[in-house]
Amino acid sequence: MLALIAVGEAEALAPWEATRLSCRTEHEPLHPPISQKIHLQPDLSFRHFSYTTTLMGILQGNCALGNWRSQSSILPTALAPFERVKLLMQNQNHLIKSSQLPKPYNGILDCFARTIRNEGVLSLWRGYTAMTLADVSLKVMRFAIFRYALSPEDIQWTYPRLLVLDSVVIVTNQLLFYPFLYAGARMATDVKAIGSTGNWQFNGIVDVFRKTLKSDGIAGLYRGFNIRLAEFGMMGAVSAGLKPWKQHYSSLLQNNVFSRHMVKFGFGICANMAIYPLDTVNKRMMMTSGAVKYKSTRQAIAQIMKTEGLKSFYSGAGAEILSCAVYKGTVLLIIYVADVIRAAKEKNDYCSRSTMEGSLRQMTRH
């Protein structure tokens, strides 16, 4: 249920509900609602290890350095169009300068409409395959490294050691799979502005790698790599600063699933907006492979600020917020529907048991 019901109100409810509540208050729920199950953490069998919660947070991408856009684990396909619109709006000034885009977008809806009109509906998922390969590979590698590193029983893992291990895992993963993120971003920002007669610059992941290696070498696949690592460090600092406030308000609203998720949504948006300018610089540096390049990250930031202003660092932020809202709303809807189905099932089970018990009593009387 989405709200807890006091024991004293059980008498005013239907008999089946009163009996179910009295049993739950006496023995505690053997089958908690989905809204409670979703917050439970599985038990890990690492011996001599007292940081199981921290470990689970790191493995799931919710701890200090690992809290980076974990929303893609449930609804990646549905959110892919929002990600492409965000990338197009984020890099529209560069696309205009390179004559790939005739005029700027007038908002999220205009970006959706023009993309669909010029390239078709399926083009909203352009670059999705490369990003999914990178995301899945990152999570699999992350879990495998942690399982291997934490398997020895004679190592006492402290929180600082875990942060160091997490940092090493992040750098290793990015070195291995950053080219796929680069390929996904280049394909997503590849615009066919002239309708059906226009051609895309890239015809797939392999084509992105081939053309980039030909023009820039291996360094082209890692354009913006330094600022990408800075994003993780910034996210870790912001998450650590917001964590006490997030825990405080979540504890105040622990009996209200909707409000608790809204608090998490709000703090998540604040964290994402704090590092969003770094993400913009990262994507803009990716776009310079095969073209005029920035000499350094500092020059990229200075040049964007000088020529486009501070507002350009937050281009596409609305699509990012909308994507998070769609994700969170879908999660809440799933939790609510699951709890309603579970409550109806419990009611039917109780009615069936009551009918069976009544029949057995009548049989014993005869």
Side-chain angles (χ1 to χ4, degrees):
M1 305 292 286
L2 293 179
L4 295 179
I5 304 176
V7 179
E9 298 178 355
E11 298 177 356
L13 301 175
W16 69 271
E17 182 71 16
T19 305
R20 186 174 66 87
L21 282 174
S22 63
C23 294
R24 286 169 64 93
T25 53
E26 180 179 357
H27 302 291
E28 289 300 319
L30 295 176
H31 303 285
I34 302 299
S35 56
Q36 294 180 13
K37 286 182 178 180
I38 200 171
H39 298 288
L40 298 179
Q41 302 290 346
D43 183 24
L44 295 181
S45 58
F46 296 123
R47 299 181 182 179
H48 308 292
F49 183 67
S50 59
Y51 287 92
T52 303
T53 304
T54 304
L55 171 65
M56 288 308 303
I58 292 176
L59 292 180
Q60 296 175 357
N62 298 322
C63 191
L65 298 177
N67 188 10
W68 174 244
R69 300 193 180 188
S70 57
Q71 67 184 28
S72 60
S73 59
I74 296 181
L75 298 170
T77 305
L79 298 179
F82 295 98
E83 181 67 16
R84 192 189 179 199
V85 168
K86 186 211 78 171
L87 289 171
L88 288 173
M89 298 185 67
Q90 195 174 36
N91 297 280
Q92 60 180 328
N93 290 331
H94 175 84
L95 296 174
I96 292 174
K97 291 179 182 178
S98 60
S99 301
Q100 293 180 271
L101 193 66
K103 61 180 181 179
Y105 298 108
N106 295 322
I108 299 174
L109 294 180
D110 182 57
C111 185
F112 269 109
R114 287 170 57 179
T115 302
I116 294 174
R117 182 172 61 251
N118 294 330
E119 305 174 15
V121 176
L122 294 180
S123 67
L124 294 175
W125 281 265
R126 185 167 172 80
Y128 165 71
T129 302
M131 294 181 183
T132 302
L133 286 174
D135 183 65
V136 173
S137 301
L138 285 169
K139 291 180 179 179
V140 171
M141 180 67 70
R142 191 184 190 89
F143 184 81
I145 292 177
F146 270 97
R147 284 293 298 267
Y148 177 78
L150 299 176
S151 57
E153 300 180 358
D154 57 342
I155 299 179
Q156 296 293 331
W157 286 96
T158 61
Y159 191 78
R161 288 185 178 181
L162 280 177
L163 289 182
V164 172
L165 178 61
D166 191 35
S167 301
V168 172
V169 170
I170 287 174
V171 174
T172 304
N173 283 340
Q174 290 301 312
L175 283 172
L176 293 175
F177 303 111
Y178 186 82
F180 289 97
L181 296 175
Y182 164 80
R186 291 306 301 267
M187 292 180 64
T189 53
D190 192 6
V191 179
K192 186 193 290 185
I194 318 177
S196 59
T197 60
N199 295 317
W200 278 306
Q201 181 182 359
F202 302 108
N203 296 318
I205 301 175
V206 176
D207 191 42
V208 174
F209 290 159
R210 183 179 60 82
K211 290 182 178 179
T212 302
L213 290 173
K214 182 178 180 180
S215 61
D216 290 60
I218 191 67
L221 298 177
Y222 288 89
R223 198 77 62 193
F225 180 78
N226 293 337
I227 196 69
R228 174 72 173 178
L229 296 181
E231 286 183 62
F232 285 98
M234 185 68 175
M235 175 58 81
V238 172
S239 298
L242 294 178
K243 186 176 181 180
W245 298 96
K246 180 180 177 180
Q247 291 178 339
H248 172 70
Y249 286 107
S250 296
S251 63
L252 292 178
L253 302 170
Q254 59 182 349
N255 294 334
N256 191 320
V257 175
F258 179 80
S259 298
R260 187 169 64 248
H261 278 274
M262 287 300 98
V263 167
K264 292 182 179 180
F265 170 74
F267 279 100
I269 290 298
C270 291
N272 280 343
M273 292 301 102
I275 66 167
Y276 193 84
L278 299 181
D279 183 60
T280 299
V281 176
N282 170 251
K283 298 303 186 294
R284 294 293 290 271
M285 294 186 72
M286 285 181 177
M287 298 293 294
T288 61
S289 289
V292 180
K293 305 168 186 61
Y294 299 110
K295 294 181 180 180
S296 63
T297 303
R298 182 180 300 179
Q299 188 204 21
I301 296 174
Q303 189 169 339
I304 294 173
M305 175 71 75
K306 181 180 179 179
T307 58
E308 303 175 22
L310 180 63
K311 184 179 179 180
S312 63
F313 286 100
Y314 286 93
S315 297
E320 176 82 358
I321 296 175
L322 183 60
S323 174
C324 294
V326 171
Y327 164 77
K328 186 61 68 174
T330 306
V331 169
L332 288 175
L333 180 62
I334 292 173
I335 293 174
Y336 176 77
V337 172
D339 282 341
V340 170
I341 294 175
R342 177 187 172 278
K345 182 178 179 181
E346 286 187 352
K347 180 178 179 180
N348 293 334
D349 292 343
Y350 177 81
C351 293
S352 300
R353 288 195 301 270
S354 299
T355 303
M356 185 177 296
E357 291 175 358
S359 301
L360 290 176
R361 283 195 296 268
Q362 291 181 359
M363 293 176 61
T364 54
R365 289 177 183 175
H366 295 292

